Amino acid sequence: MLNKILPTIIADNELHSRWLNTLSLMENTGARKISASEDPLTVTYIILKHAAEEHRHAFYLKKQLEKTGVTLPTYAAEYLLAPGSSKYYLNQLDVDVCRYLKTELNLKGAELRFAAYLLVTYAIEVRADELYPIYQDALDEAGSKVNVKSIILEEEGHLEEMINQLQHFSPQWELHAQKAVEFETKLFNQWVEQLGREIDR
């Protein structure tokens, strides 16, 4: 469905600017969630790197707005696409994964925060590895000046790093990661449906 929506978004500078701003919001939310899950004493190089790169993606997408000729100053609802679903999506994924980890692995406190960071981030990186190349293909097709190639390269690296961390976290990491992907897929589909409804208005 995203394949059908993206050409419509890219063809309209106002929609395209709100789409970029929405992606920026989501990258920024992800970066803030990573930072919130850090243990102040044991935070690792990988976690710091990952948070910094997600913040950079949020900034980079905001910077790409200039190429649409539309300025959107904040992440206020009127400057986003599907604002309700866009803001709800990552927060709800976090809630779903935490609930699963509490029930299945009886985790709490710092252990729960770290495990949730691993699984939520893994699910988001799997999605990013799919979404950004689809978006880039649509940009190329439309001859747009906007590009997300640098994000694609970094997201591929992030996924490898998450798999490596998950392998150390649990011998059953694939089972837990698949559960996180299931939660994310449901939320992503709801988000795309809301995008479609908003664009069809």
Side-chain angles (χ1 to χ4, degrees):
M1 187 168 173
L2 200 58
N3 281 324
K4 292 174 188 158
I5 293 170
L6 280 171
T8 306
I9 290 172
I10 294 165
D12 181 317
N13 281 338
E14 199 266 335
L15 282 177
H16 197 188
S17 65
R18 284 165 61 206
W19 163 257
L20 282 163
N21 205 38
T22 302
L23 290 181
S24 177
L25 161 86
M26 292 166 102
E27 291 282 357
N28 191 46
T29 304
R32 286 167 54 233
K33 281 193 170 295
I34 291 168
S35 296
S37 75
E38 289 172 9
D39 184 290
L41 297 178
T42 60
V43 60
T44 62
Y45 166 84
I46 288 290
I47 293 172
L48 286 172
K49 173 177 175 280
H50 199 176
E53 286 175 354
E54 297 297 326
H55 273 301
R56 192 190 75 79
H57 294 172
F59 170 74
Y60 178 82
L61 289 160
K62 198 82 166 166
K63 186 89 176 141
Q64 292 291 300
L65 274 168
E66 293 169 9
K67 296 178 182 176
T68 68
V70 180
T71 306
L72 301 178
T74 69
Y75 294 138
E78 65 265 32
Y79 301 133
L80 301 170
L81 285 180
S85 193
S86 299
K87 290 181 175 180
Y88 167 84
Y89 169 60
L90 259 180
N91 292 326
Q92 187 57 43
L93 179 57
D94 213 11
V95 168
D96 291 343
V97 167
C98 283
R99 194 177 289 137
Y100 169 79
L101 287 167
K102 281 177 187 171
T103 307
E104 295 298 315
L105 301 181
N106 207 23
L107 296 181
K108 54 181 182 282
E111 280 188 326
L112 174 64
R113 280 195 304 278
F114 181 66
Y117 151 71
L118 291 177
L119 292 178
V120 169
T121 308
Y122 172 81
I124 292 299
E125 295 305 339
V126 168
R127 176 61 59 198
D129 266 20
E130 182 185 299
L131 186 146
Y132 281 112
I134 289 171
Y135 179 32
Q136 185 60 54
D137 286 346
L139 289 167
D140 291 343
E141 190 72 30
S144 175
K145 290 178 187 170
V146 173
N147 90 78
V148 291
K149 288 173 187 169
S150 65
I151 294 179
I152 291 169
L153 284 172
E154 283 184 355
E155 296 291 12
E156 285 169 0
H158 289 172
L159 189 55
E160 286 174 29
E161 288 162 1
M162 294 320 297
I163 291 169
N164 189 35
Q165 288 183 88
L166 279 163
Q167 286 168 339
H168 287 96
F169 164 67
S170 167
Q172 283 88 42
W173 76 269
E174 286 174 282
L175 173 74
H176 304 313
Q178 186 49 46
K179 201 72 195 167
V181 167
E182 283 172 26
F183 294 139
E184 188 281 334
T185 300
K186 184 181 171 194
L187 291 164
F188 177 79
N189 289 339
Q190 287 170 359
W191 179 63
V192 173
E193 268 177 43
Q194 197 181 338
L195 282 173
R197 283 199 300 273
E198 194 162 321
I199 288 157
D200 285 342
R201 270 188 224 153

